[in-house]
Amino acid sequence: MLPLLALLLLASDPVVHGGGAVLRSACSTDADTVARLAEGTAVQVRFSISGDAGTCYKVTSAWQAGYVLASELEGLESYRAGLRNASELELPKMLRAETARLKEEAGERPGANEVLALIESNQPRLALRKMESALQRDGRKDPLTLALAGLAAYRSDEPRLALEYWTESQALAPNASVDALMSKARAELAGDTSRNKLRGYRFVLRYNSDEIAESTAAEVLSAANDEYARLDAALGCELKEQIPLVLQNQQAYRATTGAEEWSGGQFDGRIRVVLFRQAFQREARQAVTHELVHACLTARGRFPHWFHEGMAMRWSGERPAAADVASVEGLRTPPALGASPDQARIFYTWSWVAVDRMYRRMGEQGVRDALRNPASVTASMGN
């Protein structure tokens, strides 16, 4: 699953400190005023950033967006704890939010923006090579460069290297978002036992040979190659780098990702799939295809979460129950995706129905044409 919203919607929103706050257009005391927020106003934090005025938070409130000084907010402890304890549903959001934060801080720096564009288009290894060249050339003294190298390393399935870069970045300029990602990377290193590798043309498959036979891993790799060829012909995946494909049992998967019990796969730049009973069965093949659709769509641009999930279900052959389809017929906007199986089922059902309607209305070629313009999907159906 790949939530595309950059917002980190956490359980307890910070509020404006006594005396009110100024919503600014940038992280600077000289920035233009967007609005004035009254004491007690709840805000939703997108990410934190260091600017001329110290630490600021990019927030939204009452449909307005801007920057608020850290000193003007209360309840940030809950926000930071939420970052540290975010579930598997939040990890892709965390990565998106960190990318957005780095974009803000990079400003007009062409090298940084080039690397961020590579990361967003599923080319993290090329991004990492560019960052390592920059660090060798310019030294390891810029926290933004080090944080960007950490993000590229993490997306390249190199969490240990990511931790090294992030640790150096934090020593220069601490940031709550980076701290949260470091916690995720540490948990991943502690829980991930998939050390054995098989390499194919499109994938680097990792697995634990003590739990999964090499023949089973090879079967998964072959199926992934077949599914990629099918999806590329239908959707135009345009993947430019090999994708890490990680096979795990359910215990290791949950320990590594913090996933909910109903989750059987994840895409965060890497595909993770649960193999039940260490066998490659129909459900696991569907999970590989489901997450591969996310990879294909991510390479094409930014699409709404519901579109990602509806497309992933359609192309992996998943179909919701008729009773669930009937239950969402009257919903015009996507229901919230929560942690419970019931909430997940309703969200995924609505997403499948929305995509099915698109195909009925536009046809196969019409939907493929829409993939060239992600904004048209959002404009036509909402997000």
PDB file of all heavy atoms in Angstrom, residues 286-307:
ATOM      1  N   GLN A 286      -0.697 -12.104  -5.761  1.00  0.00           N
ATOM      2  CA  GLN A 286      -1.513 -10.897  -5.842  1.00  0.00           C
ATOM      3  C   GLN A 286      -0.846  -9.738  -5.113  1.00  0.00           C
ATOM      4  O   GLN A 286      -0.879  -8.595  -5.585  1.00  0.00           O
ATOM      5  CB  GLN A 286      -2.899 -11.151  -5.251  1.00  0.00           C
ATOM      6  CG  GLN A 286      -3.839 -11.913  -6.167  1.00  0.00           C
ATOM      7  CD  GLN A 286      -5.244 -11.993  -5.602  1.00  0.00           C
ATOM      8  OE1 GLN A 286      -5.432 -12.058  -4.389  1.00  0.00           O
ATOM      9  NE2 GLN A 286      -6.238 -12.000  -6.476  1.00  0.00           N
ATOM     10  N   ALA A 287      -0.229 -10.035  -3.965  1.00  0.00           N
ATOM     11  CA  ALA A 287       0.435  -8.982  -3.199  1.00  0.00           C
ATOM     12  C   ALA A 287       1.609  -8.402  -3.977  1.00  0.00           C
ATOM     13  O   ALA A 287       1.827  -7.184  -3.985  1.00  0.00           O
ATOM     14  CB  ALA A 287       0.903  -9.524  -1.852  1.00  0.00           C
ATOM     15  N   VAL A 288       2.387  -9.266  -4.641  1.00  0.00           N
ATOM     16  CA  VAL A 288       3.503  -8.783  -5.461  1.00  0.00           C
ATOM     17  C   VAL A 288       2.980  -7.852  -6.548  1.00  0.00           C
ATOM     18  O   VAL A 288       3.503  -6.749  -6.769  1.00  0.00           O
ATOM     19  CB  VAL A 288       4.279  -9.961  -6.083  1.00  0.00           C
ATOM     20  CG1 VAL A 288       5.257  -9.463  -7.137  1.00  0.00           C
ATOM     21  CG2 VAL A 288       5.027 -10.739  -5.004  1.00  0.00           C
ATOM     22  N   THR A 289       1.929  -8.280  -7.238  1.00  0.00           N
ATOM     23  CA  THR A 289       1.368  -7.465  -8.313  1.00  0.00           C
ATOM     24  C   THR A 289       0.791  -6.164  -7.769  1.00  0.00           C
ATOM     25  O   THR A 289       0.981  -5.090  -8.354  1.00  0.00           O
ATOM     26  CB  THR A 289       0.273  -8.250  -9.058  1.00  0.00           C
ATOM     27  OG1 THR A 289       0.804  -9.498  -9.496  1.00  0.00           O
ATOM     28  CG2 THR A 289      -0.227  -7.473 -10.259  1.00  0.00           C
ATOM     29  N   HIS A 290       0.078  -6.263  -6.652  1.00  0.00           N
ATOM     30  CA  HIS A 290      -0.528  -5.085  -6.025  1.00  0.00           C
ATOM     31  C   HIS A 290       0.534  -4.021  -5.745  1.00  0.00           C
ATOM     32  O   HIS A 290       0.378  -2.848  -6.122  1.00  0.00           O
ATOM     33  CB  HIS A 290      -1.214  -5.517  -4.730  1.00  0.00           C
ATOM     34  CG  HIS A 290      -1.973  -4.435  -4.038  1.00  0.00           C
ATOM     35  ND1 HIS A 290      -3.346  -4.435  -3.931  1.00  0.00           N
ATOM     36  CD2 HIS A 290      -1.560  -3.303  -3.398  1.00  0.00           C
ATOM     37  CE1 HIS A 290      -3.741  -3.359  -3.264  1.00  0.00           C
ATOM     38  NE2 HIS A 290      -2.671  -2.658  -2.927  1.00  0.00           N
ATOM     39  N   GLU A 291       1.624  -4.427  -5.101  1.00  0.00           N
ATOM     40  CA  GLU A 291       2.664  -3.454  -4.754  1.00  0.00           C
ATOM     41  C   GLU A 291       3.427  -2.982  -5.986  1.00  0.00           C
ATOM     42  O   GLU A 291       3.892  -1.842  -6.039  1.00  0.00           O
ATOM     43  CB  GLU A 291       3.623  -4.056  -3.723  1.00  0.00           C
ATOM     44  CG  GLU A 291       2.954  -4.573  -2.449  1.00  0.00           C
ATOM     45  CD  GLU A 291       2.059  -3.539  -1.775  1.00  0.00           C
ATOM     46  OE1 GLU A 291       2.347  -2.329  -1.873  1.00  0.00           O
ATOM     47  OE2 GLU A 291       1.064  -3.939  -1.145  1.00  0.00           O
ATOM     48  N   LEU A 292       3.527  -3.840  -6.987  1.00  0.00           N
ATOM     49  CA  LEU A 292       4.204  -3.448  -8.222  1.00  0.00           C
ATOM     50  C   LEU A 292       3.408  -2.370  -8.962  1.00  0.00           C
ATOM     51  O   LEU A 292       3.992  -1.473  -9.589  1.00  0.00           O
ATOM     52  CB  LEU A 292       4.421  -4.670  -9.112  1.00  0.00           C
ATOM     53  CG  LEU A 292       5.229  -4.473 -10.396  1.00  0.00           C
ATOM     54  CD1 LEU A 292       6.552  -3.774 -10.120  1.00  0.00           C
ATOM     55  CD2 LEU A 292       5.475  -5.827 -11.059  1.00  0.00           C
ATOM     56  N   VAL A 293       2.083  -2.430  -8.884  1.00  0.00           N
ATOM     57  CA  VAL A 293       1.267  -1.363  -9.468  1.00  0.00           C
ATOM     58  C   VAL A 293       1.599  -0.029  -8.802  1.00  0.00           C
ATOM     59  O   VAL A 293       1.715   1.008  -9.466  1.00  0.00           O
ATOM     60  CB  VAL A 293      -0.238  -1.676  -9.335  1.00  0.00           C
ATOM     61  CG1 VAL A 293      -1.080  -0.476  -9.770  1.00  0.00           C
ATOM     62  CG2 VAL A 293      -0.607  -2.893 -10.176  1.00  0.00           C
ATOM     63  N   HIS A 294       1.766  -0.052  -7.478  1.00  0.00           N
ATOM     64  CA  HIS A 294       2.160   1.177  -6.785  1.00  0.00           C
ATOM     65  C   HIS A 294       3.486   1.707  -7.329  1.00  0.00           C
ATOM     66  O   HIS A 294       3.658   2.914  -7.522  1.00  0.00           O
ATOM     67  CB  HIS A 294       2.298   0.913  -5.285  1.00  0.00           C
ATOM     68  CG  HIS A 294       1.001   0.665  -4.588  1.00  0.00           C
ATOM     69  ND1 HIS A 294      -0.134   1.386  -4.838  1.00  0.00           N
ATOM     70  CD2 HIS A 294       0.671  -0.232  -3.618  1.00  0.00           C
ATOM     71  CE1 HIS A 294      -1.116   0.955  -4.065  1.00  0.00           C
ATOM     72  NE2 HIS A 294      -0.656  -0.030  -3.321  1.00  0.00           N
ATOM     73  N   ALA A 295       4.431   0.800  -7.561  1.00  0.00           N
ATOM     74  CA  ALA A 295       5.728   1.220  -8.100  1.00  0.00           C
ATOM     75  C   ALA A 295       5.559   1.851  -9.481  1.00  0.00           C
ATOM     76  O   ALA A 295       6.172   2.882  -9.786  1.00  0.00           O
ATOM     77  CB  ALA A 295       6.675   0.024  -8.170  1.00  0.00           C
ATOM     78  N   CYS A 296       4.727   1.243 -10.312  1.00  0.00           N
ATOM     79  CA  CYS A 296       4.499   1.775 -11.655  1.00  0.00           C
ATOM     80  C   CYS A 296       3.864   3.161 -11.603  1.00  0.00           C
ATOM     81  O   CYS A 296       4.294   4.085 -12.309  1.00  0.00           O
ATOM     82  CB  CYS A 296       3.600   0.824 -12.449  1.00  0.00           C
ATOM     83  SG  CYS A 296       4.369  -0.751 -12.883  1.00  0.00           S
ATOM     84  N   LEU A 297       2.841   3.316 -10.775  1.00  0.00           N
ATOM     85  CA  LEU A 297       2.156   4.604 -10.698  1.00  0.00           C
ATOM     86  C   LEU A 297       3.058   5.682 -10.115  1.00  0.00           C
ATOM     87  O   LEU A 297       3.021   6.840 -10.546  1.00  0.00           O
ATOM     88  CB  LEU A 297       0.883   4.471  -9.860  1.00  0.00           C
ATOM     89  CG  LEU A 297      -0.232   3.615 -10.456  1.00  0.00           C
ATOM     90  CD1 LEU A 297      -1.425   3.563  -9.510  1.00  0.00           C
ATOM     91  CD2 LEU A 297      -0.670   4.143 -11.820  1.00  0.00           C
ATOM     92  N   THR A 298       3.878   5.308  -9.131  1.00  0.00           N
ATOM     93  CA  THR A 298       4.791   6.282  -8.540  1.00  0.00           C
ATOM     94  C   THR A 298       5.771   6.807  -9.578  1.00  0.00           C
ATOM     95  O   THR A 298       6.126   7.992  -9.575  1.00  0.00           O
ATOM     96  CB  THR A 298       5.553   5.649  -7.364  1.00  0.00           C
ATOM     97  OG1 THR A 298       4.616   5.207  -6.381  1.00  0.00           O
ATOM     98  CG2 THR A 298       6.502   6.647  -6.717  1.00  0.00           C
ATOM     99  N   ALA A 299       6.202   5.936 -10.478  1.00  0.00           N
ATOM    100  CA  ALA A 299       7.123   6.363 -11.527  1.00  0.00           C
ATOM    101  C   ALA A 299       6.457   7.311 -12.520  1.00  0.00           C
ATOM    102  O   ALA A 299       7.137   8.105 -13.178  1.00  0.00           O
ATOM    103  CB  ALA A 299       7.675   5.144 -12.265  1.00  0.00           C
ATOM    104  N   ARG A 300       5.122   7.247 -12.623  1.00  0.00           N
ATOM    105  CA  ARG A 300       4.406   8.085 -13.580  1.00  0.00           C
ATOM    106  C   ARG A 300       4.056   9.462 -13.028  1.00  0.00           C
ATOM    107  O   ARG A 300       3.792  10.393 -13.790  1.00  0.00           O
ATOM    108  CB  ARG A 300       3.108   7.390 -14.029  1.00  0.00           C
ATOM    109  CG  ARG A 300       3.277   6.054 -14.725  1.00  0.00           C
ATOM    110  CD  ARG A 300       4.091   6.177 -16.000  1.00  0.00           C
ATOM    111  NE  ARG A 300       3.511   7.098 -16.953  1.00  0.00           N
ATOM    112  CZ  ARG A 300       2.664   6.753 -17.924  1.00  0.00           C
ATOM    113  NH1 ARG A 300       2.301   5.489 -18.055  1.00  0.00           N
ATOM    114  NH2 ARG A 300       2.198   7.648 -18.766  1.00  0.00           N
ATOM    115  N   GLY A 301       3.996   9.600 -11.704  1.00  0.00           N
ATOM    116  CA  GLY A 301       3.630  10.891 -11.123  1.00  0.00           C
ATOM    117  C   GLY A 301       2.920  10.712  -9.798  1.00  0.00           C
ATOM    118  O   GLY A 301       2.911   9.632  -9.216  1.00  0.00           O
ATOM    119  N   ARG A 302       2.296  11.786  -9.314  1.00  0.00           N
ATOM    120  CA  ARG A 302       1.590  11.763  -8.030  1.00  0.00           C
ATOM    121  C   ARG A 302       0.100  11.569  -8.267  1.00  0.00           C
ATOM    122  O   ARG A 302      -0.564  12.439  -8.828  1.00  0.00           O
ATOM    123  CB  ARG A 302       1.824  13.064  -7.267  1.00  0.00           C
ATOM    124  CG  ARG A 302       3.253  13.256  -6.816  1.00  0.00           C
ATOM    125  CD  ARG A 302       3.346  14.443  -5.886  1.00  0.00           C
ATOM    126  NE  ARG A 302       4.691  14.620  -5.376  1.00  0.00           N
ATOM    127  CZ  ARG A 302       5.014  15.477  -4.421  1.00  0.00           C
ATOM    128  NH1 ARG A 302       4.081  16.235  -3.876  1.00  0.00           N
ATOM    129  NH2 ARG A 302       6.263  15.584  -4.010  1.00  0.00           N
ATOM    130  N   PHE A 303      -0.395  10.448  -7.811  1.00  0.00           N
ATOM    131  CA  PHE A 303      -1.810  10.131  -7.952  1.00  0.00           C
ATOM    132  C   PHE A 303      -2.446  10.022  -6.569  1.00  0.00           C
ATOM    133  O   PHE A 303      -1.769   9.716  -5.588  1.00  0.00           O
ATOM    134  CB  PHE A 303      -1.990   8.811  -8.710  1.00  0.00           C
ATOM    135  CG  PHE A 303      -1.532   8.855 -10.138  1.00  0.00           C
ATOM    136  CD1 PHE A 303      -0.250   8.449 -10.482  1.00  0.00           C
ATOM    137  CD2 PHE A 303      -2.379   9.317 -11.130  1.00  0.00           C
ATOM    138  CE1 PHE A 303       0.183   8.500 -11.793  1.00  0.00           C
ATOM    139  CE2 PHE A 303      -1.957   9.370 -12.447  1.00  0.00           C
ATOM    140  CZ  PHE A 303      -0.677   8.961 -12.785  1.00  0.00           C
ATOM    141  N   PRO A 304      -3.765  10.235  -6.487  1.00  0.00           N
ATOM    142  CA  PRO A 304      -4.443  10.110  -5.185  1.00  0.00           C
ATOM    143  C   PRO A 304      -4.321   8.697  -4.622  1.00  0.00           C
ATOM    144  O   PRO A 304      -4.201   7.719  -5.367  1.00  0.00           O
ATOM    145  CB  PRO A 304      -5.904  10.447  -5.510  1.00  0.00           C
ATOM    146  CG  PRO A 304      -5.863  11.175  -6.810  1.00  0.00           C
ATOM    147  CD  PRO A 304      -4.679  10.643  -7.557  1.00  0.00           C
ATOM    148  N   HIS A 305      -4.392   8.614  -3.311  1.00  0.00           N
ATOM    149  CA  HIS A 305      -4.269   7.324  -2.634  1.00  0.00           C
ATOM    150  C   HIS A 305      -5.324   6.341  -3.118  1.00  0.00           C
ATOM    151  O   HIS A 305      -5.043   5.170  -3.383  1.00  0.00           O
ATOM    152  CB  HIS A 305      -4.377   7.556  -1.118  1.00  0.00           C
ATOM    153  CG  HIS A 305      -4.130   6.331  -0.300  1.00  0.00           C
ATOM    154  ND1 HIS A 305      -4.351   6.295   1.053  1.00  0.00           N
ATOM    155  CD2 HIS A 305      -3.694   5.087  -0.633  1.00  0.00           C
ATOM    156  CE1 HIS A 305      -4.060   5.095   1.509  1.00  0.00           C
ATOM    157  NE2 HIS A 305      -3.665   4.341   0.509  1.00  0.00           N
ATOM    158  N   TRP A 306      -6.577   6.806  -3.226  1.00  0.00           N
ATOM    159  CA  TRP A 306      -7.640   5.896  -3.650  1.00  0.00           C
ATOM    160  C   TRP A 306      -7.365   5.345  -5.048  1.00  0.00           C
ATOM    161  O   TRP A 306      -7.673   4.183  -5.333  1.00  0.00           O
ATOM    162  CB  TRP A 306      -9.005   6.595  -3.615  1.00  0.00           C
ATOM    163  CG  TRP A 306      -9.160   7.758  -4.557  1.00  0.00           C
ATOM    164  CD1 TRP A 306      -9.034   9.076  -4.270  1.00  0.00           C
ATOM    165  CD2 TRP A 306      -9.466   7.694  -5.961  1.00  0.00           C
ATOM    166  NE1 TRP A 306      -9.225   9.846  -5.390  1.00  0.00           N
ATOM    167  CE2 TRP A 306      -9.502   9.027  -6.445  1.00  0.00           C
ATOM    168  CE3 TRP A 306      -9.715   6.646  -6.855  1.00  0.00           C
ATOM    169  CZ2 TRP A 306      -9.773   9.337  -7.776  1.00  0.00           C
ATOM    170  CZ3 TRP A 306      -9.982   6.961  -8.188  1.00  0.00           C
ATOM    171  CH2 TRP A 306     -10.012   8.288  -8.640  1.00  0.00           C
ATOM    172  N   PHE A 307      -6.781   6.160  -5.925  1.00  0.00           N
ATOM    173  CA  PHE A 307      -6.486   5.704  -7.284  1.00  0.00           C
ATOM    174  C   PHE A 307      -5.399   4.635  -7.250  1.00  0.00           C
ATOM    175  O   PHE A 307      -5.481   3.614  -7.951  1.00  0.00           O
ATOM    176  CB  PHE A 307      -6.055   6.889  -8.143  1.00  0.00           C
ATOM    177  CG  PHE A 307      -5.823   6.542  -9.588  1.00  0.00           C
ATOM    178  CD1 PHE A 307      -6.887   6.254 -10.425  1.00  0.00           C
ATOM    179  CD2 PHE A 307      -4.540   6.507 -10.108  1.00  0.00           C
ATOM    180  CE1 PHE A 307      -6.678   5.934 -11.763  1.00  0.00           C
ATOM    181  CE2 PHE A 307      -4.317   6.195 -11.444  1.00  0.00           C
ATOM    182  CZ  PHE A 307      -5.392   5.907 -12.272  1.00  0.00           C
TER     183      PHE A 307
END
